[in-house]
Amino acid sequence: MRSSDPYIVLTLEGAAKMAESKLSLGSLNIRHVPSEDLYVVTTVETARDIRLQVEIPRKYTALHWGDPLYSAQWMRPTTEHINLNHLMLLRRPGASIPFDDFRKMLPGVSDPGGKLGLLITHDPQIPSEATEAGAAEFAGWLVHRTGVRAIAIEAEPAVVGLAQLTGRWPIEQLAANSVMVVGCGSIGSAAAEALAGYGLGSVELVDPDRFLWHNMLRHALGPESVGRFKVAAMKDHLAQHWPQQTVVAHRRDVVAEAHYIRPLVDRVDLVLCAADGIAPRRVVSHLSRRARKAAVLACVLDNGSIGEVIRLRPTPRFGCLLCLRQQLADQGAMDAEADQELDYGTGRVHQPMTAVPPDLRYVGMFAAKVAIATLLESLHGDHTQQVPGEHAIIGLRPAGDLAAPFDLSQAGDVRWSSIPRPRASCPTCSPG
Ligand SMILES: [Zn+2]
């Protein structure tokens, strides 16, 4: 079998219709996509002259379909292990069986005349050793008078999506958790996608802005979302790719509407802040500390030359964003918060706009990874995803000219450190 050979796509519904039918032979409607040399089963005869439509992925209907096939059938042979023969034939590129010989093996197969026919054989009794060797319950055949060729069937498995990770990734644990994502721009949209991909059960998206053309280059959303509110468009985007996740969209400003945000922080397990500017990050640092929730803050600094991910955990060991920045200021490091604010307020030239798109996605995914590791560790006692510290500096396009701890000189380098204990005078960390 070569990848250039034609393929048949059989959805789970189509397979079930054949498997549950009392017939041993029925007709099929199979559509052909010539550009892909792909066949898609669209109707199945399940009882004499009863043909049922099979639902197919919506995107397929937009493909350019070829002429209908002259004859297409499915068959459940009672004797021969025909699907084992199929496997052996499939492994011999170019091999075919003379039509008359094939018809002797499978009486009932239609004569396609001078045209091309197609057959699917269903063998529910296939021996397990044959299954292990690669033989399948459904097998496809291109039937022509000049010879019959085996073709591959891509049958939809019973389990698709995140459930495929069962036993290899804690999907049940993460399905019970929720994260609030503040800021649905370049970094936030990438983080939201990654959280869904890790199997997080629910996400609360917070962003007051609309998605505009200039956002598109660095964003998960495309032109169909221009003009929409980012949270609403992201909610639809996530629902399409990760239907298992609950997404709530909040068209709110985390700074101006802190009264609205506060109960949300109480409700979620962690806050991931990807909003740019000093104020939203400070608000998230403060509200999450007060709600005793962990927070992960992600941004790029120095015109996108480095990424920064900070994890704030509400324990006596770790201070807040202000405590960290104070320590860095005492050490003479760059004022990262002021750097964030550069050009801010013009409404057009934000810091992330100087970074290249995959670098921002990388930082967003990195932040999601840290958030997931934190949930697993703190809520599920799963230390297998433990990250090395609380503060990560990520080399994107570093020039090596910044003071420590931002003095990375290589792209792809990640430097982890801890963050200081709470300062006694801190308005966020001190109990009050
Ligand atoms: Zn503090």
Side-chain angles (χ1 to χ4, degrees):
M1 176 176 49
R2 293 158 301 186
S3 57
S4 59
D5 287 342
Y7 254 78
I8 300 174
V9 169
L10 177 62
T11 60
L12 198 58
E13 194 197 355
K17 282 186 163 59
M18 279 180 245
E20 289 159 14
S21 167
K22 301 247 182 335
L23 302 177
S24 60
L25 185 160
S27 69
L28 294 171
N29 272 341
I30 294 191
R31 305 295 304 270
H32 185 223
V33 184
S35 62
E36 316 270 349
D37 206 1
L38 168 73
Y39 296 92
V40 182
V41 176
T42 57
T43 68
V44 176
E45 185 182 14
T46 56
R48 196 48 65 210
D49 295 327
I50 307 287
R51 289 174 183 83
L52 298 181
Q53 199 89 31
V54 174
E55 209 178 306
I56 58 169
R58 197 150 46 96
K59 288 270 162 63
Y60 278 173
T61 57
L63 295 171
H64 186 75
W65 298 101
D67 296 330
L69 285 175
Y70 175 71
S71 77
Q73 293 173 287
W74 68 272
M75 195 182 282
R76 190 159 28 241
T78 46
T79 49
E80 299 270 350
H81 281 305
I82 186 78
N83 289 14
L84 206 51
N85 293 339
H86 177 270
L87 176 67
M88 290 186 294
L89 210 60
L90 207 55
R91 287 183 176 165
R92 287 165 47 208
S96 69
I97 304 176
F99 177 69
D100 291 335
D101 293 354
F102 191 73
R103 210 177 194 181
K104 274 181 206 130
M105 281 194 317
L106 288 179
V109 62
S110 299
D111 183 345
K115 297 187 173 155
L116 182 69
L118 202 142
L119 173 72
I120 292 177
T121 51
H122 177 224
D123 183 357
Q125 317 269 273
I126 197 144
S128 61
E129 56 271 25
T131 313
E132 275 155 35
E137 199 177 322
F138 292 94
W141 306 88
L142 278 180
V143 183
H144 204 270
R145 270 193 184 161
T146 57
V148 179
R149 287 175 58 203
I151 74 166
I153 286 200
E154 181 61 8
E156 181 182 347
V159 174
V160 290
L162 276 172
Q164 287 174 264
L165 299 179
T166 303
R168 281 173 293 208
W169 178 251
I171 47 173
E172 297 87 0
Q173 287 88 330
L174 291 168
N177 293 143
S178 59
V179 169
M180 174 172 147
V181 175
V182 177
C184 292
S186 326
I187 295 176
S189 63
E193 280 187 323
L195 290 172
Y198 281 124
L200 184 78
S202 73
V203 68
E204 312 264 350
L205 303 175
V206 178
D207 194 307
D209 293 338
R210 289 181 190 275
F211 181 68
L212 302 175
W213 288 114
H214 74 272
N215 299 131
M216 204 167 68
L217 171 66
R218 297 174 176 84
H219 208 280
L221 297 173
E224 70 288 345
S225 299
V226 170
R228 298 187 65 191
F229 287 104
K230 284 177 182 171
V231 287
M234 270 309 286
K235 180 184 159 125
D236 289 348
H237 176 76
L238 292 171
Q240 196 186 346
H241 294 274
W242 306 101
Q244 88 290 342
Q245 197 189 45
T246 305
V247 184
V248 188
H250 304 275
R251 187 154 49 81
R252 301 284 180 159
D253 184 316
V254 76
V255 178
E257 298 173 280
H259 62 284
Y260 178 90
I261 301 299
R262 211 169 273 122
L264 274 186
V265 177
D266 284 332
R267 200 158 88 197
V268 298
D269 297 310
L270 184 144
V271 183
L272 191 157
C273 180
D276 36 76
I278 298 177
R281 292 159 56 84
R282 283 190 178 170
V283 167
V284 166
S285 168
H286 187 77
L287 294 182
S288 58
R289 183 88 191 187
R290 286 300 158 95
R292 310 205 56 73
K293 299 291 167 65
V296 173
L297 314 182
C299 66
V300 293
L301 300 167
D302 190 39
N303 298 315
S305 74
I306 53 171
E308 184 188 45
V309 173
I310 303 169
R311 174 167 65 168
L312 302 171
R313 291 196 278 178
T315 79
R317 282 180 65 196
F318 304 115
C320 66
L321 178 66
L322 295 176
C323 291
L324 170 64
R325 291 310 187 210
Q326 187 59 53
Q327 185 201 45
L328 292 175
D330 294 346
Q331 291 168 355
M334 170 176 68
D335 184 347
E337 295 307 312
D339 186 71
Q340 282 257 312
E341 205 74 340
L342 202 69
D343 296 327
Y344 190 75
T346 64
R348 292 214 168 264
V349 194
H350 292 187
Q351 265 282 297
M353 301 305 253
T354 53
V356 284
D359 283 358
L360 292 160
R361 294 191 67 77
Y362 176 47
V363 172
M365 288 188 192
F366 196 99
K369 177 81 182 164
V370 173
I372 291 294
T374 305
L375 292 173
L376 288 174
E377 198 182 339
S378 61
L379 300 180
H380 303 291
D382 178 346
H383 303 286
T384 60
Q385 295 286 304
Q386 204 167 31
V387 297
E390 312 302 314
H391 185 201
I393 309 292
I394 304 160
L396 301 175
R397 293 179 293 156
D401 55 351
L402 300 173
F406 303 104
D407 57 334
L408 295 183
S409 57
Q410 285 175 302
D413 197 5
V414 180
R415 178 178 296 162
W416 283 95
S417 52
S418 190
I419 58 177
R421 287 175 178 277
R423 296 165 300 159
S425 59
C426 178
T428 292
C429 297
S430 61

